Amino acid sequence: MHRNPWPLFTFGVCRGASHRRGGLRAAVVAILCLVALLLGTGRAHADGVNLTTFELGRDDDGLELTFSARFELPRTVEDALLKGVPLVFVAQATVFRDRWYWRDERVSEATRTWRLAFQPLTRKYRVTFGGLNQNHDNLADAIAALSSAANWRIAEPAQLEGDGYYVEFRYELDTSQMPRPMQIGIGGQADWSLRVDRSRRLN
């Protein structure tokens, strides 16, 4: 069975740091220790994101989307959150119209963004959405608050004339909004690939 080399690396580097002196070297070693701890130990990555609800409703007011996603944070991602790294989740819905003579026309695009942070002083999880903050006592409640939307308007009536429309949807942990050093460290890490896609044609 494959063994993660990070714990041994972390132990060796951090132990060596305690016997060294010098500002620059100590700072570099401390950064390596932090990155190794964030990426190293923990259970295998989660199975991913599952859409438990995905419904489209079209009426005189336009097109609305209701969705609900279910997932658990992998241990490495949760550890980073508890160490002060905020997580950003993004839902994006794009409406297209078929065109036989050219690429399909993108007629509308809607995006929602949630920010999840842990507050060590109060031991609460804060979810920020649209300038509003909600505090939650546990991680499960916080994830539930940022993984769903009801009657989300994604297109106006004037944008939906006739037939031939379909919706492409994506919900994901957006690592591009994390601190740059973290982006480099987690590149290619399966634990950080939390994403689900769905495509559906309007009736």
Side-chain angles (χ1 to χ4, degrees), residues 72 107 136 198:
E72 293 182 0
V107 299
H136 300 273
R198 183 66 59 87

Side-chain angles (χ1 to χ4, degrees), residues 173-179 183:
L173 169 62
D174 189 358
T175 57
S176 69
Q177 299 194 44
M178 300 181 69
Q183 294 183 39

Side-chain angles (χ1 to χ4, degrees), residues 22-81:
L24 180 60
R25 177 173 293 179
V28 172
V29 171
I31 294 174
L32 290 176
C33 290
L34 176 60
V35 173
L37 286 171
L38 291 179
L39 302 181
T41 59
R43 65 177 183 266
H45 66 87
D47 293 335
V49 182
N50 295 315
L51 278 180
T52 57
T53 302
F54 187 79
E55 299 175 352
L56 295 172
R58 180 180 178 182
D59 55 26
D60 293 339
D61 295 326
L63 180 63
E64 294 182 342
L65 168 65
T66 296
F67 82 91
S68 179
R70 179 184 298 171
F71 62 93
E72 293 182 0
L73 292 183
R75 185 60 175 273
T76 50
V77 180
E78 184 178 345
D79 286 346
L81 175 66

Side-chain angles (χ1 to χ4, degrees), residues 4-189:
N4 196 323
W6 281 105
L8 295 177
F9 172 80
T10 303
F11 176 78
V13 173
C14 295
R15 183 180 180 184
S18 65
H19 297 287
R20 295 191 185 97
R21 293 183 179 180
L24 180 60
R25 177 173 293 179
V28 172
V29 171
I31 294 174
L32 290 176
C33 290
L34 176 60
V35 173
L37 286 171
L38 291 179
L39 302 181
T41 59
R43 65 177 183 266
H45 66 87
D47 293 335
V49 182
N50 295 315
L51 278 180
T52 57
T53 302
F54 187 79
E55 299 175 352
L56 295 172
R58 180 180 178 182
D59 55 26
D60 293 339
D61 295 326
L63 180 63
E64 294 182 342
L65 168 65
T66 296
F67 82 91
S68 179
R70 179 184 298 171
F71 62 93
E72 293 182 0
L73 292 183
R75 185 60 175 273
T76 50
V77 180
E78 184 178 345
D79 286 346
L81 175 66
L82 296 178
K83 289 177 172 65
V85 179
L87 305 177
V88 176
F89 293 84
V90 176
Q92 185 177 71
T94 307
V95 183
F96 291 91
R97 185 176 187 181
D98 296 328
R99 289 197 297 195
W100 62 269
Y101 57 90
W102 195 244
R103 293 179 180 177
D104 292 349
E105 179 187 8
R106 182 171 63 182
V107 299
S108 177
E109 185 173 275
T111 302
R112 285 192 171 185
T113 302
W114 298 264
R115 183 179 184 271
L116 173 63
F118 178 69
Q119 300 173 295
L121 293 180
T122 60
R123 307 297 298 177
K124 291 183 181 295
Y125 297 86
R126 170 171 289 185
V127 176
T128 302
F129 170 72
L132 301 176
N133 298 315
Q134 289 184 333
N135 292 321
H136 300 273
D137 293 329
N138 57 72
L139 181 57
D141 289 346
I143 290 178
L146 57 78
S147 58
S148 64
N151 302 321
W152 174 22
R153 182 76 56 79
I154 61 174
E156 299 297 330
Q159 298 173 308
L160 302 172
E161 297 180 354
D163 300 317
Y165 295 91
Y166 63 95
V167 176
E168 290 189 353
F169 173 79
R170 181 178 74 249
Y171 176 85
E172 66 178 342
L173 169 62
D174 189 358
T175 57
S176 69
Q177 299 194 44
M178 300 181 69
R180 185 61 179 173
M182 283 292 298
Q183 294 183 39
I184 297 174
I186 65 179
Q189 296 280 333

